[in-house]
Amino acid sequence: MARTKHPELTRAALLDAARRVLRNHGVTLSLDAVAREAGVSKGGLLHHYPSKERLLQALAHALIEQFHSQLQAAHAKEIALHGDAPGAWLRAYIELSFVVDEEVDALTAALAPLSALPELLRGLQEAQRFLITDAEADGLPAGRAHAIRLACDGLWAGRNSGLPDLDDVQRAALKEELLSWTRF
């Protein structure tokens, strides 16, 4: 990769390379492998991400931003189809939560060690604060909104932590139950 006057493009290319390395090699990601994949020197990589933790933190934030964008699009679609009635944001959240994306699941699993670093965890929690504020602003009672969101999060976390997963019938029943909680 040639040196660019647009460091944001270089950082994006480095994150894409890190995604590919994680997808292909899992948690054995090394800065050397990412630099090779991106076509830059290790020094060039370190210029933008001075440590493996900083690179992984940036990748985690990029995944959060990607999910947030997908959620905003799903919410807009829900509003276009059914109006801006209470529960529209949560219905979009439910829909996204039941989509299995193996690449995102693999990347998230590879980033799990970040949760052991309190200073990084705080930043990730703050970046996802919208999950609480948007759920509460959706027009449903706060307790119900949080129960729906946490059930979706539990489904996702269980699938990504080795807990027994639901079969298709059980998954469909759970999804319908959660959606029913968003309707009046």
Side-chain angles (χ1 to χ4, degrees):
M1 169 184 293
R3 188 174 195 106
T4 175
K5 293 182 182 183
H6 303 286
E8 66 280 355
L9 296 176
T10 301
R11 284 190 292 274
L14 290 167
L15 291 178
D16 286 341
R19 281 178 181 241
R20 289 189 302 275
V21 170
L22 279 171
R23 185 176 55 240
N24 295 329
H25 303 288
V27 295
T28 61
L29 172 131
S30 72
L31 294 179
D32 289 323
V34 173
R36 265 192 315 277
E37 181 70 25
V40 301
S41 68
K42 186 173 179 181
L45 169 62
L46 291 171
H47 173 75
H48 294 282
Y49 299 107
S51 68
K52 181 177 176 177
E53 289 74 23
R54 293 281 297 275
L55 175 64
L56 292 174
Q57 179 184 22
L59 185 55
H61 280 277
L63 287 171
I64 292 167
E65 289 173 20
Q66 175 185 333
F67 178 77
H68 195 194
S69 294
Q70 291 171 333
L71 182 55
Q72 289 172 321
H75 184 211
K77 180 179 176 183
E78 175 67 25
I79 290 171
L81 292 173
H82 305 289
D84 195 13
W89 184 89
L90 285 161
R91 285 188 292 281
Y93 194 79
I94 292 166
E95 289 298 329
L96 280 183
S97 296
F98 281 79
V99 172
V100 176
D101 184 331
E102 291 179 12
E103 179 177 350
V104 170
D105 289 351
L107 290 171
T108 304
L111 295 170
L114 290 177
S115 65
L117 304 170
E119 66 281 358
L120 296 180
L121 184 59
R122 279 190 295 280
L124 296 174
Q125 288 170 331
E126 188 55 39
Q128 297 180 87
R129 189 99 185 120
F130 69 90
L131 297 173
I132 293 173
T133 57
D134 290 0
E136 287 182 347
D138 199 27
L140 298 178
R144 186 181 315 166
H146 293 305
I148 292 167
R149 185 187 66 81
L150 290 171
C152 290
D153 293 353
L155 174 73
W156 178 85
R159 186 176 69 240
N160 288 291
S161 65
L163 292 173
D165 200 4
L166 301 176
D167 64 30
D168 290 343
V169 173
Q170 294 164 327
R171 185 180 291 271
L174 174 61
K175 182 178 178 181
E176 185 49 45
E177 184 66 24
L178 293 174
L179 286 170
S180 76
W181 294 358
T182 68
R183 299 180 190 115
F184 289 96

